[in-house]
Amino acid sequence: MIILKSDRELELMAAAGQLVAKTHAAVADAIKPGITTGSLDALAEEYIRSHGGIPSFKGYQGFPASICASINEVVVHGIPGSQVLQAGDIIGIDIGAILEGFHGDMARTYPVGEISNEAERLLWVTQKALEHGISAATVGNRLSDIGHAVQSFVEDQSLSVVRDFVGHGIGRDMHEPPQIPNFGRPGRGPRLQPGMALAIEPMVNMGGWEVKILSDNWTVVTADQSLSAHFEDTIAVTETGPRILTKI
Ligand code: MG
């Protein structure tokens, strides 16, 4: 069952989302060649806790860190640690926090120094794909219209969307129903209603859509080693259109 949020609950979710967005800004400022992913993780955890939040990824199903840091061919769920960022890398940063009992969840993929034109284009397409998905999250549309909007845009750009990982409802739990695939035919699934809170998160590969999980049981990489990007926002469906909750 999809849990609808009251206006008051959506205000709490907006506060949680704002904390996550501000944490992203702090991490983005620190991204440069020579820094470790572990230091970005420490920075994010400190930022969240010092603003009254709890990093929701830490300990989630045993995940050891507060952020996911996913470099180049890593799609999602990279574990931060001693890996050093190099100029030309792209790094997906996924951050979740709980504030006053509600979750915010947001991902961006950032360039490290100068990156190739192809990598630049991958980031642009993935961000635009997220915007297309969000634009489809309107009252009266159906759930699969979101994934259809993402997939059509990405495939028109000759890139591919990951099938194995999906977006999700969000609220008092990080992952609530429904699952939100980034692909599929339009006009399927439940009708979108005011009060739904959704984490929409396209993952886009330069090569094929297939992925595999490394032996740490977390790190997801592209099967063909091509670059991958991930953008995510937490949004609310409202009478006046989608409202992005993960913003400053
Ligand atoms: Mg998510």
Side-chain angles (χ1 to χ4, degrees):
M1 194 194 74
I2 302 175
I3 302 166
L4 299 179
K5 279 77 185 179
S6 67
D7 288 350
R8 186 187 149 274
E9 289 171 325
L10 287 181
E11 289 317 309
L12 293 173
M13 290 198 69
Q18 185 182 55
L19 172 57
V20 174
K22 286 182 169 175
T23 309
H24 258 281
V27 169
D29 266 356
I31 289 176
K32 56 174 185 291
I35 198 164
T36 65
T37 53
S39 63
L40 298 176
D41 178 58
L43 187 163
E45 178 167 5
E46 163 61 21
Y47 192 94
I48 292 168
R49 291 193 192 280
S50 69
H51 290 79
I54 299 165
S56 47
F57 297 176
K58 197 155 194 175
Y60 180 82
Q61 294 182 357
F63 191 77
S66 295
I67 67 171
C68 300
S70 304
I71 298 174
N72 295 336
E73 77 280 6
V74 180
V75 179
V76 285
H77 304 167
I79 299 172
S82 57
Q83 198 170 5
V84 177
L85 299 188
Q86 317 276 342
D89 285 343
I90 57 171
I91 179 167
I93 301 282
D94 196 349
I95 306 177
I98 311 167
L99 187 67
E100 308 231 18
F102 283 92
H103 286 258
D105 192 1
M106 173 181 176
R108 290 288 183 274
T109 301
Y110 300 104
V112 181
E114 285 275 302
I115 62 172
S116 69
N117 290 339
E118 296 154 290
E120 200 77 70
R121 184 167 163 273
L122 173 69
L123 302 195
W124 180 83
V125 169
T126 313
Q127 177 137 38
K128 284 284 164 198
L130 171 60
E131 291 170 15
H132 283 279
I134 292 171
S135 296
T138 54
V139 174
N141 263 4
R142 289 190 186 268
L143 185 68
S144 78
D145 294 330
I146 296 172
H148 181 72
V150 169
Q151 181 182 24
S152 337
F153 176 74
V154 170
E155 294 184 352
D156 280 352
Q157 302 291 324
S158 304
L159 300 176
S160 60
V161 289
V162 169
R163 312 290 204 259
D164 302 48
F165 295 87
V166 299
H168 49 94
I170 180 168
R172 289 191 185 275
D173 286 316
M174 180 160 64
H175 296 124
E176 294 182 354
Q179 292 197 343
I180 309 171
N182 293 299
F183 61 95
R185 299 163 72 174
R188 309 288 168 103
R191 283 207 189 276
L192 300 179
Q193 293 176 50
M196 289 181 177
L198 307 172
I200 300 175
E201 49 179 321
M203 288 146 257
V204 176
N205 298 348
M206 293 236 308
W209 57 264
E210 297 87 351
V211 300
K212 61 183 184 183
I213 299 176
L214 299 186
S215 57
D216 62 17
N217 287 323
W218 280 108
T219 310
V220 178
V221 298
T222 54
D224 59 12
Q225 302 291 300
S226 66
L227 292 178
S228 186
H230 178 211
F231 281 73
E232 173 182 32
D233 276 315
T234 299
I235 66 117
V237 178
T238 80
E239 290 288 2
T240 52
R243 174 185 177 190
I244 298 174
L245 301 172
T246 36
K247 67 176 195 185
I248 291 175

